[in-house]
């Protein structure tokens, strides 16, 4: 090693000396000695790498205590709260449904101490953990029984395993959905040990296609809600009621993976129609699966509704033990479902419904105020405007069903894409990051999901 390099390395301070410095010692109390030492070690490694690469000291090496403080401060928790101004209400990457206050309170109580998770206060013996919520779901949907697991993918997997392992499952070619995140119906079938039998064509499938596919190996007739895309034009698909009749004729069970699925008629609130689990139960489908954190507006969960004899088999299968939901999920789900007992108050009490039904006029007025408030701060470098735009429901609702909304847009006066990139990067680095959407050479902040305008202005005015 050259003398010059050796000199640079020797300027790096020793960790135990740093820990005793007056600016660093108070940090030990705040962050603990382990994290502090680990962070300093990591900084040492980086400083050495910098020297070996550039033959000079990194800028931050001039003030180690300051650099350390900054690092500790910027340490991000894994789940950092952000402003979702992406225009997608149920954004999978941003955690989907925000929970209702009553659900948050219920989770709090469940976290804090003992709860009757698998304990009956009537002394009637140990029930299974889904019992009370299953009763509530039956009341709301007319189903005979219900089973709850960690997410809808798990629900589909459990259902296929119990109903049709080592058997054939008949599905329309038009419904071989990929949900994203490696959830593809054909792959899940294979994992569950089922043999997929595709019938019909991409755009048209008829009842006779299912009928012709039935043989002694058939274990299940299945429908999958084509939630995140739509096939339009010359199309045909088989209604659940018809499929249920066909299943009954051959004593073969039927199931639908609904994905989203709403317990209330969305059109009642002026929203695009979405299939309801209770309609499919009424149509005679044996089992229906859907998510807890999509349109239902609750925690991540998979809900399976349907015939008692099938639900009992699901509950008793070893896989149910693997996939069962925890007490926090069940507490949140229970409180969320209770809101559906007062459908008139859903748009007030259930955040998902409140955001989806937010009047366009209210969003437009908010956009005007945000525009006025942010123009002094950003107007030099960007042209700001309040613009009408379209929000999406998200999470496997039809992308063509969009909701009229308003955005504040930022068009760079100079620098084009790189100026936009710099702005989005800066906003990602805020104490509470602001997540917008880039389109047409502008950054769009769709204000549909902005309920706390003052908090956004505090963050962006800095
Ligand atoms: C979203 C979706 C799933 C997966 O549900 P998760 O709750 O994300 O596991 C499965 N099937 C369909 C049709 C979906 O829309």
């Amino acid at each position: 090693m050259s003398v010059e390099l050796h000199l640079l390395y020797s300027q790096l301070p020793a960790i135990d000396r740093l820990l005793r410095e007056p600016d660093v010692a108070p940090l030990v109390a705040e962050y603990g000695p382990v994290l502090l030492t680990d962070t300093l070690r990591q900084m040492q490694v980086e400083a050495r790498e910098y020297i070996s690469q550039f033959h000079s000291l990194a800028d931050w090496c001039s003030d180690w205590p300051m650099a350390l403080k900054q690092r500790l401060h910027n340490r991000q928790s894994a789940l950092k709260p952000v402003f979702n101004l992406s225009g997608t209400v149920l954004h999978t990457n941003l955690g989907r449904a925000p929970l209702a206050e009553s659900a948050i309170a219920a989770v709090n109580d469940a976290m804090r101490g003992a709860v009757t998770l698998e304990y009956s206060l009537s002394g009637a013996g140990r029930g299974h953990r889904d019992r009370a919520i299953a009763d509530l779901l039956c009341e709301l949907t007319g189903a005979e029984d219900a089973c709850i697991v960690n997410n809808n993918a798990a629900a589909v997997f459990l259902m296929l395993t119990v109903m049709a392992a080592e058997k054939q499952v008949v599905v329309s070619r038009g419904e071989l959905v990929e949900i994203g995140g490696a959830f593809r119906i054909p792959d899940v079938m294979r994992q569950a040990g089922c043999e997929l039998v595709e019938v019909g064509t991409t755009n048209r499938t008829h009842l006779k296609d299912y009928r012709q596919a039935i043989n002694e190996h058939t274990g299940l007739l299945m429908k999958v809600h084509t939630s995140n895309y739509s096939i339009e034009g010359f199309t045909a698909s088989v209604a659940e009621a018809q499929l249920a009749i066909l299943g009954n004729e051959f004593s073969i069970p039927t199931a639908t993976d609904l994905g989203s699925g709403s317990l209330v008629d969305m059109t009642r609130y002026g929203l695009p129609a979405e299939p309801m689990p209770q309609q499919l139960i009424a149509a005679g489908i044996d089992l229906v699966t859907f998510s807890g954190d999509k349109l239902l507006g609750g925690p991540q969960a998979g809900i399976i509704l349907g015939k008692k004899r099938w639900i009992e088999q699901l509950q008793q299968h070893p896989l149910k033990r693997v996939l069962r939901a925890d007490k926090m999920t069940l507490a949140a789900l229970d409180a969320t479902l209770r809101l559906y007992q007062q459908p008139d108050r859903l748009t007030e009490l259930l955040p998902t419904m409140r955001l989806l039904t937010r009047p366009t006029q209210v969003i437009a007025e908010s956009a005007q105020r945000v525009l006025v408030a942010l123009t002094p701060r950003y107007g030099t470098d960007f042209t700001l405007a309040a613009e009408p735009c379209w929000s999406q429901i998200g999470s496997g609702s039809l992308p063509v069903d969009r909701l009229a909304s308003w955005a504040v847009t930022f068009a760079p006066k100079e620098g084009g894409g790189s100026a936009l990139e710099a702005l989005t990067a800066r906003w990602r680095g805020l104490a509470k990051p602001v997540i917008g959407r880039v389109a047409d050479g502008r950054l769009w902040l769709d204000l549909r999901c902005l309920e706390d305008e003052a908090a956004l202005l505090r963050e962006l005015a800095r």
Side-chain angles (χ1 to χ4, degrees):
M1 192 191 301
S2 72
V3 174
E4 173 200 346
L5 271 185
H6 194 79
L7 253 171
L8 286 171
Y9 283 122
S10 69
Q11 285 180 43
L12 301 181
I15 289 178
D16 46 346
R17 206 207 78 206
L18 275 169
L19 285 173
R20 285 193 303 271
E21 282 205 16
D23 281 352
V24 175
L27 297 176
V28 180
E30 191 176 349
Y31 293 97
V34 176
L35 176 63
L36 228 62
T37 314
D38 284 355
T39 310
L40 285 170
R41 273 207 194 101
Q42 180 59 33
M43 290 166 72
Q44 289 271 15
V45 170
E46 288 172 28
R48 286 172 173 280
E49 277 169 5
Y50 194 94
I51 293 173
S52 83
Q53 205 178 346
F54 300 106
H55 293 206
S56 68
L57 281 177
D59 283 347
W60 58 262
C61 286
S62 61
D63 191 345
W64 278 72
M66 170 66 87
L68 174 66
K69 243 184 250 176
Q70 229 151 36
R71 274 189 197 227
L72 291 169
H73 183 75
N74 290 347
R75 228 167 25 103
Q76 304 204 340
S77 70
L79 302 176
K80 197 169 188 178
V82 300
F83 289 98
N84 172 14
L85 306 185
S86 66
T88 300
V89 178
L90 296 168
H91 196 303
T92 297
N93 298 355
L94 299 179
R96 291 191 187 160
L99 291 189
E101 287 304 326
S102 61
I104 295 165
V107 176
N108 240 305
D109 288 345
M111 283 192 295
R112 233 169 263 286
V115 288
T116 54
L117 179 62
E118 294 179 354
Y119 188 92
S120 163
L121 290 176
S122 68
R126 182 176 186 261
H128 65 66
R129 61 175 57 199
D130 300 348
R131 188 67 269 149
I133 300 178
D135 291 344
L136 183 53
L137 278 163
C138 293
E139 216 175 278
L140 290 166
T141 63
E144 289 178 11
D145 205 351
C147 174
I148 295 148
V149 288
N150 277 317
N151 50 50
N152 186 44
V156 174
F157 185 54
L158 177 62
M159 179 175 82
L160 286 170
T161 305
V162 169
M163 292 180 118
E166 287 163 42
K167 294 187 189 144
Q168 294 182 348
V169 180
V170 185
V171 186
S172 160
R173 275 212 171 78
E175 298 177 1
L176 295 175
V177 181
E178 173 179 317
I179 306 303
F183 184 89
R184 289 176 164 185
I185 288 293
D187 296 340
V188 179
M189 293 240 179
R190 204 169 311 117
Q191 283 299 320
C194 307
E195 184 191 341
L196 170 63
V197 177
E198 300 172 34
V199 297
T201 58
T202 306
N203 57 331
R204 289 173 73 82
T205 302
H206 307 278
L207 194 63
K208 66 174 192 291
D209 296 321
Y210 290 93
R211 182 184 288 279
Q212 280 163 7
I214 292 176
N215 61 49
E216 71 273 24
H217 305 296
T218 309
L220 179 68
L221 307 178
M222 184 172 176
K223 279 185 67 75
V224 183
H225 183 49
T226 56
S227 44
N228 51 5
Y229 66 99
S230 72
I231 299 178
E232 285 173 33
F234 185 55
T235 63
S237 64
V238 173
E240 262 82 0
Q242 285 179 288
L243 200 65
I245 292 168
L246 183 67
N248 276 339
E249 187 184 328
F250 290 91
S251 296
I252 295 171
T254 50
T256 298
D257 172 20
L258 209 45
S260 225
S262 172
L263 290 183
V264 287
D265 179 359
M266 301 273 284
T267 61
R268 191 178 142 178
Y269 305 92
L271 292 167
E274 277 286 333
M276 297 159 69
Q278 51 268 55
Q279 293 168 334
L280 308 190
I281 294 295
I285 291 289
D286 289 291
L287 290 184
V288 178
T289 67
F290 58 103
S291 286
D293 56 352
K294 292 184 180 173
L295 282 173
L296 187 77
Q300 178 187 302
I303 298 167
I304 312 167
L305 296 180
K307 301 266 162 73
K308 196 163 206 72
R309 72 180 195 95
W310 287 112
I311 297 288
E312 272 170 1
Q313 288 185 45
L314 300 189
Q315 291 288 3
Q316 283 157 16
H317 196 279
L319 198 52
K320 167 66 199 318
R321 177 62 177 76
V322 177
L323 303 175
R324 72 181 186 184
D326 75 308
K327 63 177 178 177
M328 292 186 274
T329 301
L330 294 175
L333 186 59
D334 181 47
T336 305
L337 289 170
R338 281 178 199 286
L339 298 177
Y340 283 86
Q341 291 174 318
Q342 323 173 55
D344 291 335
R345 297 192 64 196
L346 273 183
T347 57
E348 168 199 349
L349 300 178
L350 190 69
T352 298
M353 286 301 276
R354 191 167 68 228
L355 295 174
L356 290 176
T357 56
R358 235 176 139 207
T360 314
Q361 185 55 32
V362 170
I363 309 172
E365 286 161 10
S366 174
Q368 283 305 332
R369 287 190 300 270
V370 172
L371 172 69
V372 169
L374 292 183
T375 297
R377 170 72 179 77
Y378 295 92
T380 327
D381 299 329
F382 297 89
T383 305
L384 279 69
E387 299 263 358
C389 67
W390 296 99
S391 310
Q392 293 196 9
I393 298 175
S395 273
S397 294
L398 277 183
V400 291
D401 286 334
R402 302 200 296 175
L403 311 171
S405 186
W406 279 77
V408 176
T409 64
F410 297 73
K413 290 184 174 165
E414 265 173 62
S418 57
L420 272 186
E421 182 43 48
L423 185 65
T424 52
R426 204 167 79 68
W427 286 356
R428 282 197 301 268
L430 293 170
K432 182 167 176 179
V434 175
I435 313 294
R437 174 180 42 159
V438 172
D440 305 329
R442 283 185 284 178
L443 179 59
W444 296 68
L445 298 183
D446 182 331
L447 300 192
R448 170 172 296 278
C449 296
L450 180 67
E451 292 197 295
D452 189 350
E453 203 177 288
L456 178 79
L457 295 181
R458 272 198 305 279
E459 202 67 56
L460 289 189
R462 289 167 199 237

